[in-house]
Amino acid sequence: MVRAPMLGNAARRGDAGAVVLALLVAVGVALAAPPSARAADALVGVGEQHPAIFADPWWRELQTQRVRYIAAWDALRYDWSRAEVDAYLGAARAAGAEVLLGFGHSRTPGRTHRAPTPRQFLGEFRRFRARYPWVREYLTWNEANHCSQPTCRRPDMAARYYNALRGACPDCTIVAADVLDTRRMPAWIKAFRHRARGRRLIWGLHNYIDANRFRTTGTRSLLRTVPGQVWFTETGGLVERDNGSPVEFPENKWHAARATRWVFQRLARLSPRVRRVYLYQWKPPPDPTWDSALLGADGRPRPAYRVLSEHLRAAAQRAARAPGR
């Protein structure tokens, strides 16, 4: 949901927290369906744009080191945006985090909807690689099929960006296309595949509609459309938003917890090809137009955080019991 410059109620601990957990477990039982057979749980991370996450004890308590960060494709051209990226990636590295670094539209006034040429995009990517050589996971273009992005009607251009990244860093892990779960998504993906090179592509999905309407339609659609790994590069439950979208969802912290549980118990279990889940976001910014945060503005965990924490503990226990461990 990082389309604008930077988009970016608390659960109490103790007895109240236990009540919250009991309620959420009950809701989870009602929502759960038999999972498909799979080798392991999807790896879990948090999508967040602000480096304060790395100093937050609630993040450290989760014991998950994966984060996703979106930078403007030309962020290193300007002092102010370069400083933002330096601050985030520097804090991430110091904390030992594993960063999935994605690219999106320029934040320069007048250039937001201007698509770079593949040569320009490649040149900027090489600057990122030189400045942050420890980053090894990339996402080609954030929400590439959304019409806030210059790639909305140019899946061929997005594919050329991917080809450029793959050629420049063959040993990197790269999410090829990163898309929203819309009705037009399959056609966009097919056009992308026509121009993308390689056979083992990774597909990124933002499945907010599935998560918040407690359905599986969009996720199943992508799984039918493509082979290979699928990562939920952004997902979560809505608490509040004011971004002018005509798509309606319930909006409150309890709904967000139910939606988060739906992500883990249903959507991530639709196929063993679902290998990553990144929940967005950590904490709401001041005056947010979008709030799906795991923590409230006061810095305290919301019910969705508890759902995530439970899931991570259970996944760790399953991994410990797996054959060969």
Side-chain angles (χ1 to χ4, degrees):
M1 187 52 58
V2 187
R3 301 181 190 126
M6 282 288 177
L7 296 180
N9 320 350
R12 295 178 179 270
R13 305 190 74 177
D15 292 341
V19 173
V20 168
L21 289 178
L23 289 171
L24 292 175
V25 168
V27 169
V29 170
L31 293 176
S36 60
R38 55 194 174 134
D41 289 278
L43 301 177
V44 177
V46 177
E48 173 62 18
Q49 292 298 106
H50 301 282
I53 183 176
F54 302 113
D56 196 318
W58 292 110
W59 182 72
R60 293 196 294 268
E61 184 173 296
L62 290 176
Q63 298 184 0
T64 178
Q65 295 298 100
R66 293 176 180 83
V67 292
R68 187 219 62 174
Y69 178 72
I70 304 299
W73 72 272
D74 57 354
L76 298 187
R77 290 184 177 183
Y78 311 103
D79 291 344
W80 60 273
S81 53
R82 185 169 57 248
E84 287 182 351
V85 180
D86 281 348
Y88 188 95
L89 293 183
R93 189 180 190 188
E98 298 178 26
V99 179
L100 173 62
L101 175 58
F103 301 106
H105 64 68
S106 175
R107 294 172 57 199
T108 305
R111 295 187 178 183
T112 301
H113 296 288
R114 185 180 303 175
T117 67
R119 183 175 180 177
Q120 289 172 327
F121 186 72
L122 176 59
E124 293 304 309
F125 175 68
R126 286 175 171 158
R127 294 180 66 186
F128 275 92
R129 289 286 300 129
R131 194 172 185 87
Y132 316 108
W134 55 275
V135 176
R136 304 296 298 176
E137 296 186 346
Y138 290 93
L139 183 156
T140 303
W141 198 279
N142 179 57
E143 295 188 347
N145 67 330
H146 190 275
C147 284
S148 65
Q149 303 296 328
T151 51
C152 172
R153 294 180 176 85
R154 294 296 308 274
D156 60 318
M157 184 66 77
R160 293 176 69 186
Y161 296 159
Y162 168 71
N163 294 340
L165 299 193
R166 173 55 64 211
C169 193
D171 296 329
C172 291
T173 299
I174 302 174
V175 177
D178 181 73
V179 295
L180 287 163
D181 56 343
T182 64
R183 287 182 297 175
R184 296 181 179 179
M185 177 263 293
W188 193 99
I189 285 287
K190 290 175 182 177
F192 179 98
R193 289 184 67 190
H194 183 70
R195 294 297 299 268
R197 299 172 189 159
R199 300 179 61 184
R200 297 184 178 180
L201 276 60
I202 300 173
W203 306 94
L205 179 65
H206 296 196
N207 51 1
Y208 283 112
I209 298 178
D210 278 358
N212 286 274
R213 290 185 175 171
F214 306 106
R215 69 179 202 183
T216 61
T217 309
T219 307
R220 289 183 187 274
S221 178
L222 181 63
L223 289 166
R224 287 193 302 266
T225 303
V226 298
Q229 291 188 35
V230 170
W231 295 9
F232 299 167
T233 45
E234 188 175 317
T235 191
L238 266 293
V239 177
E240 185 178 6
R241 65 177 179 156
D242 183 21
N243 64 351
S245 173
V247 181
E248 296 182 359
F249 299 130
E251 298 176 16
N252 59 68
K253 63 182 180 179
W254 301 107
H255 163 80
R258 293 179 64 229
T260 302
R261 193 174 292 279
W262 184 264
V263 168
F264 290 127
Q265 291 195 345
R266 290 296 306 273
L267 298 178
R269 297 186 180 188
L270 288 174
S271 169
R273 294 193 286 130
V274 177
R275 300 310 309 135
R276 297 273 184 101
V277 174
Y278 291 88
L279 295 177
Y280 184 78
Q281 68 218 113
W282 184 247
K283 187 178 176 182
D287 301 318
T289 59
W290 178 280
D291 181 359
S292 56
L294 296 164
L295 270 58
D298 58 2
R300 296 184 180 182
R302 288 170 168 171
Y305 176 96
R306 304 296 184 184
V307 173
L308 171 59
S309 181
E310 282 184 29
H311 172 80
L312 291 172
R313 285 196 298 270
Q317 291 170 359
R318 287 189 289 269
R321 293 194 301 265
R325 293 298 298 268

